[in-house]
Amino acid sequence: MAENNLNHEFDYNSGAGIQQLRGLTKISMRPGMYIGGTSSKSLHHLIWEVVDNSVDECMAGYATRVIVTMTKEGSLRVDDDGRGIPTAVSKDDEKKRTGLEIALCEVHAGGKYDKNAYKISGGLNGVGVKAVNALSDWLKVWVNRGDKVYSLFFDKNDWYHDPKGPQPAAMELQDGSATTPGEQPDVKPHGTIVEFMPNFDIMEKNRWEYTLIASRLKQVAYLNSGVKIILIDEYTNEGVSNKEEWCFEGGLIQYVEDLNRDKEKLVPQIIHGKREGEIKAPNATDTKYHVICELAFQYNKTYLPSLYSYCNNVSTSDGGTHEEGFKLALVRLLNKYAIEKKLMKEIDDKITKDDVMEGITAIISIKHPEPQYKGQTKGELGNTELRPFVNEITSEIFEKFILENPTEAETIIKKIVFAKEARIKSLEAREAVRKKSPFDSGCLPGKLADCSSKDTEICEIYLVEGNSAGGSAKQARNAFFQAILPLRGKVLNVEKAKTEKIFENAEINAMLTAFGIGVAPEFKYHEIKNEEGEVIEKVLKPRYDKIIIMTDADVDGSHIRILLLTFLFRYLKPLIESNHVYSACPPLYKVFDARNELYAYNDNDLEEIRQKLGDKYNKMTVQRYKGLGEMDAEQLWETTMDPKRRLLKLVSIEEASYADQQFSFLMGDDVLPRKDFISKNAKFVKNIDA
């Protein structure tokens, strides 16, 4: 622990003790301000910072392909065939550095500020690859500008503690090919190659996740039709190159097709449109923006919405004005035609935004030269001029579809009217949940064994299947901060259920009441205000900081966990997004004799114990747990519930569209794709419970 220096005398005249962080040191000392932290998500964010620069070249029309390589050494390489980072000496730089060196070393410097260089880009703050440089053991870059290859090499050991900031450890400018420490990749006639090794003294030690990287790159390919995206994996396959390639000429249409692959279609057509236009900037008389809007959507027979929006290839997961314009157009048109077709009376309750979103899969992609986001994470788009622009294009293409396809249009309208009626039926159940105060013990579920503390920052709740496991957990817990909510049987599969049935379900109501955050779309947020009283942030404040799913370490337990995650993802997604949901990891084996007790959480752990003990292992008993109820309270506490020794896995959503697709595939109505998946992969299963 740091020494308390409250009595230290500060020299106000000399300014001793004031530290000024220069250049990239600011990023390496405060990574959370620039890439959100040091977790696995932030580690992968380093990839997106480099990839986004290459994709910007594609959007500008100067590049046609991006290659991402996960090297066998663990570094990450991104290669594009664009113009190459500018290499001329900057006339505005006192140190007479090249544009390449400035782009890699100076925060808030880059080509994104020059409207002639990039009319549209995903980057805003001039951080990008500089953050990657600041958080890497080393970074290499090769640039080919046609007749010369330029290369730079940065090593953290040369600059990390230097107050002058980073200096390139090696720099070559020559005809033909350049040499730097390490093997140089094949440099194309023009383009940029960036390769880096993360600094795991700063970043948490995590592996590259192939599935996550592939999902994000595939998404980029959908959003940029005709651009070739290639992923080469020499890392997870132990040096054996595995290559995937994506190029979608159909763009967003193919994106919707893919998302709806495991969903039964309501109508066969995908409604699609694209428009470019000059739109006025707000509060300006002479400024206009050249904006591109493309969207595609299709209705299916599910009860849940799948709307994904992007601005300049950046996911706007919290929505914004572009989503608002889209929804307003659907509401207006569907209300109009429902009345015209006499499927709804004019005096009836009108169709709402929630109704029109039931069973829709939609993608909205905006390209804007001056995007305005709310927050560093770029989660919500705030450009007010986009609301009417997207409203207009949505109205135009949807009205055209309705007029040309009256049978399909009536099918959609009937579904939406049915959704409206179901919403009204479920309103009482929702209101009953909303009205229950999460801090009024009289309103909490009777089966809940609550904790005594009211400090939400330390409280946690375990969701446990069955009375047997629930009884063990109640005896094992620390009742001061740990609550137990036993759930009877397998939770309702919300992927298949109607909305009103979901809110009539006793187990789901028990969870909603216990969590105390309300019900979608009206979640209860804690507002953080500045000195002027303006709301600057909204924070979700559930009754328990940790919501922990604790199920048996077998197939049934896995199924129950998936059912709970499906409910949380579909109806309480903010809980996952704000890092409140965890999965407990009970042991699978107990290895013991008269003197020793060891626990193995999986087969690999068991093998490590066997090798460590050697011949002693053969004299010990190996017990395989079938359920939590087999453990006594002391065992359950020390293996699964004691904060000092337990293993918890944080549930996070790295790519929402990929998660959406997987939940539809695993939990939806279409059985054949699952049977096909099982038949192809059953041979790889090594151990399964009877």
Side-chain angles (χ1 to χ4, degrees):
M1 182 176 291
E3 183 181 352
N4 189 327
N5 287 318
L6 290 177
N7 295 321
H8 173 70
E9 290 187 10
F10 184 83
D11 185 350
Y12 286 93
N13 294 321
S14 69
I18 295 178
Q19 182 183 15
Q20 182 178 2
L21 300 179
R22 298 178 183 275
L24 302 192
T25 308
K26 293 185 288 188
I27 302 176
S28 61
M29 294 288 286
R30 301 286 186 270
M33 295 175 60
Y34 296 91
I35 63 166
T38 59
S39 64
S40 175
K41 181 178 181 180
S42 299
L43 174 68
H44 288 79
H45 187 86
L46 297 178
I47 304 176
W48 317 142
E49 289 288 5
V50 184
V51 168
D52 285 349
N53 286 339
S54 295
V55 172
D56 287 343
E57 281 288 286
C58 296
M59 287 196 295
Y62 297 106
T64 61
R65 61 112 181 99
V66 180
I67 303 173
V68 177
T69 303
M70 303 160 63
T71 74
K72 59 184 178 182
E73 293 82 11
S75 62
L76 201 291
R77 183 188 306 142
V78 180
D79 174 354
D80 69 59
D81 61 347
R83 293 168 290 182
I85 300 173
T87 53
V89 174
S90 173
K91 62 181 179 180
D92 298 323
D93 184 57
E94 295 179 357
K95 301 177 184 177
K96 302 301 179 185
R97 293 172 297 179
T98 65
L100 175 59
E101 190 176 344
I102 293 171
L104 290 164
C105 300
E106 291 295 333
V107 180
H108 306 304
K112 309 301 172 61
Y113 294 108
D114 185 348
K115 299 299 182 291
N116 295 319
Y118 289 97
K119 296 185 181 301
I120 294 171
S121 86
L124 277 182
N125 299 320
V127 177
V129 75
K130 288 167 279 293
V132 181
N133 196 5
L135 299 168
S136 294
D137 264 348
W138 52 260
L139 180 142
K140 306 171 188 177
V141 59
W142 295 265
V143 175
N144 194 327
R145 297 285 289 183
D147 58 343
K148 288 186 175 65
V149 175
Y150 302 78
S151 63
L152 288 180
F153 172 59
F154 292 88
D155 189 314
K156 73 165 187 184
N157 294 320
D158 294 324
W159 70 265
Y160 190 63
H161 298 292
D162 188 341
K164 295 179 182 179
Q167 306 292 324
M171 178 166 59
E172 299 283 345
L173 284 76
Q174 63 184 60
D175 294 336
S177 62
T179 58
T180 60
E183 181 182 353
Q184 177 181 321
D186 181 24
V187 181
K188 299 299 186 291
H190 55 86
T192 302
I193 300 174
V194 176
E195 184 175 352
F196 67 95
M197 177 70 77
N199 181 351
F200 290 111
D201 290 334
I202 301 174
M203 308 300 294
E204 295 174 18
K205 184 67 175 176
N206 291 291
R207 288 175 59 87
W208 297 123
E209 295 182 28
Y210 181 86
T211 302
L212 171 60
I213 297 170
S215 174
R216 174 67 179 263
L217 294 179
K218 186 178 181 182
Q219 179 188 98
V220 170
Y222 282 128
L223 295 169
N224 297 273
S225 59
V227 174
K228 184 182 294 184
I229 307 290
I230 300 170
L231 175 60
I232 300 173
D233 177 19
E234 300 169 350
Y235 176 68
T236 60
N237 288 296
E238 299 179 351
V240 179
S241 179
N242 179 42
K243 182 178 178 181
E244 282 198 81
E245 184 175 314
W246 303 280
C247 184
F248 301 108
E249 295 296 339
L252 299 194
I253 294 176
Q254 287 180 262
Y255 198 175
V256 172
E257 283 178 351
D258 198 6
L259 289 173
N260 267 354
R261 185 179 58 215
D262 301 313
K263 300 173 183 177
E264 189 178 355
K265 316 302 183 291
L266 185 69
V267 295
Q269 299 95 326
I270 294 176
I271 304 163
H272 171 262
K274 182 176 182 180
R275 175 187 289 182
E276 298 187 34
E278 302 289 329
I279 59 176
K280 283 188 177 182
N283 305 319
T285 56
D286 55 351
T287 304
K288 289 187 176 181
Y289 297 138
H290 183 78
V291 178
I292 303 171
C293 171
E294 183 178 7
L295 53 89
F297 60 101
Q298 182 183 35
Y299 278 98
N300 55 69
K301 293 186 179 181
T302 69
Y303 305 104
L304 298 163
S306 298
L307 170 61
Y308 300 101
S309 61
Y310 304 86
C311 182
N312 301 347
N313 295 317
V314 177
S315 172
T316 46
S317 56
D318 296 326
T321 52
H322 51 338
E323 288 192 12
E324 292 170 9
F326 174 74
K327 293 175 183 177
L328 287 170
L330 296 184
V331 167
R332 183 180 62 81
L333 285 171
L334 288 169
N335 269 307
K336 175 185 174 184
Y337 282 96
I339 293 171
E340 287 182 0
K341 295 293 181 181
K342 295 183 171 51
L343 297 172
M344 186 177 78
K345 295 180 181 179
E346 197 162 357
I347 59 172
D348 289 348
D349 289 335
K350 294 293 187 290
I351 290 168
T352 68
K353 287 187 286 187
D354 291 336
D355 301 330
V356 301
M357 296 306 294
E358 183 175 291
I360 198 172
T361 298
I363 308 292
I364 305 171
S365 178
I366 295 291
K367 305 291 173 66
H368 196 298
E370 292 287 345
Q372 297 175 8
Y373 300 101
K374 296 183 179 179
Q376 172 65 21
T377 58
K378 306 174 185 176
E380 183 177 350
L381 192 60
N383 297 73
T384 56
E385 70 276 9
L386 287 174
R387 189 182 293 106
F389 184 68
V390 177
N391 188 321
E392 188 176 341
I393 183 175
T394 305
S395 298
E396 181 181 304
I397 65 171
F398 193 37
E399 189 163 28
K400 183 174 184 290
F401 171 82
I402 288 173
L403 293 173
E404 293 178 354
N405 303 275
T407 302
E408 289 82 358
E410 189 163 336
T411 300
I412 292 173
I413 293 166
K414 285 180 178 178
K415 176 180 174 60
I416 301 306
V417 171
F418 184 78
K420 182 201 75 169
E421 294 169 351
R423 170 178 55 82
I424 294 171
K425 289 179 182 178
S426 65
L427 189 59
E428 289 185 7
R430 288 175 181 250
E431 285 300 316
V433 174
R434 287 194 184 102
K435 288 177 180 178
K436 291 180 180 179
S437 168
F439 297 102
D440 183 352
S441 60
C443 292
L444 290 172
K447 63 176 72 178
L448 173 68
D450 201 10
C451 54
S452 57
S453 174
K454 300 301 180 185
D455 183 357
T456 60
E457 298 296 325
I458 66 168
C459 291
E460 49 191 47
I461 184 171
Y462 282 82
L463 307 180
V464 185
E465 190 273 325
N467 291 327
S468 176
S472 296
K474 288 175 185 177
Q475 294 179 46
R477 68 176 176 145
N478 183 325
F480 176 67
F481 67 95
Q482 292 179 323
I484 308 296
L485 181 61
L487 301 173
R488 182 171 54 86
K490 291 188 176 179
V491 179
L492 180 70
N493 182 2
V494 300
E495 194 74 21
K496 299 179 180 181
K498 297 179 181 179
T499 305
E500 66 267 26
K501 295 295 182 184
I502 292 168
F503 291 100
E504 291 173 358
N505 183 271
E507 307 305 306
I508 286 177
N509 268 295
M511 286 187 283
L512 290 172
T513 306
F515 299 161
I517 63 165
V519 186
E522 298 175 10
F523 292 112
K524 297 175 182 177
Y525 286 96
H526 173 69
E527 294 183 346
I528 299 176
K529 300 180 179 180
N530 59 19
E531 294 179 355
E532 288 75 32
E534 299 173 325
V535 177
I536 57 174
E537 189 178 1
K538 291 184 178 181
V539 180
L540 200 68
K541 300 286 284 187
R543 190 165 183 266
Y544 307 93
D545 183 67
K546 289 183 174 66
I547 296 168
I548 303 169
I549 300 171
M550 187 165 69
T551 59
D552 295 342
D554 59 11
V555 173
D556 280 342
S558 296
H559 187 215
I560 293 166
R561 184 167 60 251
I562 290 296
L563 287 167
L564 286 167
L565 288 174
T566 304
F567 164 64
L568 293 169
F569 177 76
R570 292 303 190 190
Y571 287 91
L572 297 174
K573 191 188 293 184
L575 278 176
I576 302 176
E577 293 171 333
S578 53
N579 296 330
H580 289 293
V581 179
Y582 295 80
S583 177
C585 299
L588 194 58
Y589 301 99
K590 177 184 177 183
V591 182
F592 63 97
D593 58 17
R595 296 183 178 181
N596 302 291
E597 285 187 354
L598 298 171
Y599 294 97
Y601 291 84
N602 50 50
D603 290 329
N604 290 334
D605 286 352
L606 185 64
E607 178 60 23
E608 287 182 11
I609 291 173
R610 188 189 68 77
Q611 292 182 5
K612 184 178 180 180
L613 294 177
D615 293 337
K616 292 181 181 179
Y617 179 83
N618 297 324
K619 299 177 183 179
M620 301 182 77
T621 301
V622 179
Q623 177 185 355
R624 190 177 194 280
Y625 289 113
K626 283 289 185 180
L628 297 170
E630 290 186 16
M631 297 185 198
D632 60 36
E634 184 178 353
Q635 290 174 332
L636 187 56
W637 166 254
E638 69 181 28
T639 63
T640 316
M641 300 182 72
D642 181 0
K644 294 180 181 179
R645 290 178 284 186
R646 71 188 177 188
L647 177 63
L648 291 182
K649 291 183 179 179
L650 175 67
V651 178
S652 61
I653 306 170
E654 301 293 353
E655 290 296 333
S657 61
Y658 176 74
D660 183 334
Q661 191 178 43
Q662 291 304 301
F663 276 115
S664 297
F665 170 70
L666 292 170
M667 310 302 290
D669 285 313
D670 199 348
V671 177
L672 288 178
R674 283 198 294 278
K675 290 181 67 176
D676 183 55
F677 175 82
I678 292 169
S679 64
K680 288 180 180 177
N681 292 278
K683 60 184 177 182
F684 300 113
V685 177
K686 296 180 180 179
N687 195 349
I688 192 166
D689 294 284

